[in-house]
Amino acid sequence: MLAISLRLGATLALATMFMLIKLAGTYGVSMPELMFWRQAISVPLIAGALYFSGQFGKLGTRRPFAHAGRAAVGTAGLFCNIAASTLLPLPVATTLGFTAPLFAVLITALILREHVGRWRWTAVIAGFAGVLVIAGPGEIANVPVLGVAAGLGAGIIVATVSFQIRDLARTDTPISMVFWFALFGMLGASLFLPFYGRWHEPQVYLILLALGLAGTLGQFFIAASLRYASVATVVVIDYVSLIWATTYGLVIFDSWPPHTTWFGAPLIIAAGLIITWREHYLSRRVSPASAIDSSALEEAAEDEAAPRTGT
């Protein structure tokens, strides 16, 4: 029950983060600024928490270039996630975020050349059928093509990053991977601030601070939930984020998702659950593809793939 409660907290925190990202976009905050603040808040919070708990040494690494490569790919995923949240209704962007396990299966079969059975292939077909329903021609005016492309791009990148994380998890702690991802991502985004950044009203900075805090809390809640239960146990809770996203869309943006979302979302969610169940049944590591925000997904993979560290 504790793990489930923590996972519920993670879904709410991440849905709140994406709502704040969309809200900040309405105030004219640029994409590089959103990416900078999303990561900049995590760096001092993680470093401070470890320092005062006497665990600062867990940030050490002998593979800075591997972290930099992972950060480059992960930052691209964060860009896609932010773009999808900005361009699409929140429930649609959230639903497209659930496609990462579908792409993980494709990478496993087509690139890694591992065997994929009929259960997972069936799930992949059903999941992409759900995507076609959501982005169908009848809703093209309500579901921008660029937004759908960004949402699917985020799914591809999150699935790709999960394989990088499995490699890093052999030598580094989960918390160090989150920290270095945030640090490199913050530094990369800061290069664009002189060109795209501008001064904002005080309430806008409060929104930016809040979105960074919400994203960091989502990471911590996901990591904490995995201390008390496996991914296969808590993964179903992640789909509650669709409820939060719909609620935020109605209350904050007075926006109801296109009706095709309610036909396509069950197919995508069912596909993700089938893949999770099947990989758990086969005693494999479950792909971390059920959360909304890319860095939180990676945190889930890190705790599952690495030995338990108590962080």
Side-chain angles (χ1 to χ4, degrees):
M1 292 304 298
L2 177 58
I4 290 173
S5 298
L6 290 167
R7 200 73 175 197
L8 281 171
T11 64
L12 179 58
L14 295 174
T16 300
M17 181 196 73
F18 282 108
M19 178 274 291
L20 292 169
I21 285 173
K22 191 174 185 69
L23 183 62
T26 65
Y27 284 95
V29 181
S30 66
M31 186 76 70
E33 288 178 293
L34 291 171
M35 296 180 68
F36 174 82
W37 285 98
R38 167 61 189 88
Q39 303 289 39
I41 303 302
S42 295
V43 173
L45 285 178
I46 294 173
L50 292 180
Y51 177 80
F52 287 108
S53 63
Q55 303 179 75
F56 196 75
K58 289 185 176 181
L59 296 182
T61 181
R62 293 177 294 175
R63 305 175 65 188
F65 293 107
H67 282 287
R70 173 259 175 125
V73 178
T75 299
L78 179 59
F79 177 88
C80 289
N81 267 316
I82 292 176
S85 298
T86 303
L87 296 171
L88 299 172
L90 286 175
V92 177
T94 299
T95 301
L96 292 177
F98 298 146
T99 60
L102 312 182
F103 290 111
V105 172
L106 292 179
I107 291 172
T108 298
L110 303 179
I111 298 178
L112 300 182
R113 301 293 183 180
E114 295 182 12
H115 173 71
V116 173
R118 63 179 182 274
W119 277 99
R120 285 180 289 171
W121 278 125
T122 301
V124 168
I125 293 171
F128 284 117
V131 173
L132 291 175
V133 169
I134 290 174
E139 294 292 340
I140 200 68
N142 296 323
V143 183
V145 174
L146 286 178
V148 173
L152 294 177
I156 295 172
I157 293 171
V158 167
T160 302
V161 166
S162 68
F163 292 96
Q164 292 179 297
I165 288 167
R166 291 180 181 179
D167 175 61
L168 280 167
R170 294 184 297 105
T171 57
D172 288 30
T173 63
I175 196 66
S176 74
M177 287 186 274
V178 175
F179 175 82
W180 291 109
F181 170 65
L183 179 62
F184 282 122
M186 178 190 72
L187 294 176
S190 68
L191 297 176
F192 295 92
L193 292 183
F195 307 100
Y196 294 96
R198 64 182 182 87
W199 291 106
H200 300 283
E201 296 295 325
Q203 64 267 26
V204 177
Y205 285 109
L206 290 177
I207 294 173
L208 294 173
L209 288 171
L211 74 85
L213 179 60
T216 303
L217 287 176
Q219 286 183 321
F220 280 121
F221 283 151
I222 284 180
S225 72
L226 292 171
R227 292 176 60 188
Y228 303 103
S230 66
V231 169
T233 301
V234 298
V235 67
V236 67
I237 303 300
D238 291 344
Y239 297 103
V240 174
S241 58
L242 186 57
I243 297 176
W244 306 133
T246 302
T247 302
Y248 279 136
L250 288 172
V251 174
I252 306 298
F253 304 103
D254 192 25
S255 172
W256 185 259
H259 69 271
T260 51
T261 304
W262 306 112
F263 294 99
L267 288 172
I268 296 173
I269 291 173
L273 291 174
I274 290 172
I275 291 170
T276 300
W277 164 75
R278 190 60 181 172
E279 293 202 7
H280 179 65
Y281 178 79
L282 296 173
S283 298
R284 290 183 173 183
R285 293 171 178 164
V286 180
S287 296
S290 55
I292 306 173
D293 175 65
S294 63
S295 56
L297 289 166
E298 295 157 14
E299 178 70 14
E302 293 155 10
D303 270 44
E304 184 66 8
R308 304 294 181 184
T309 61
T311 56

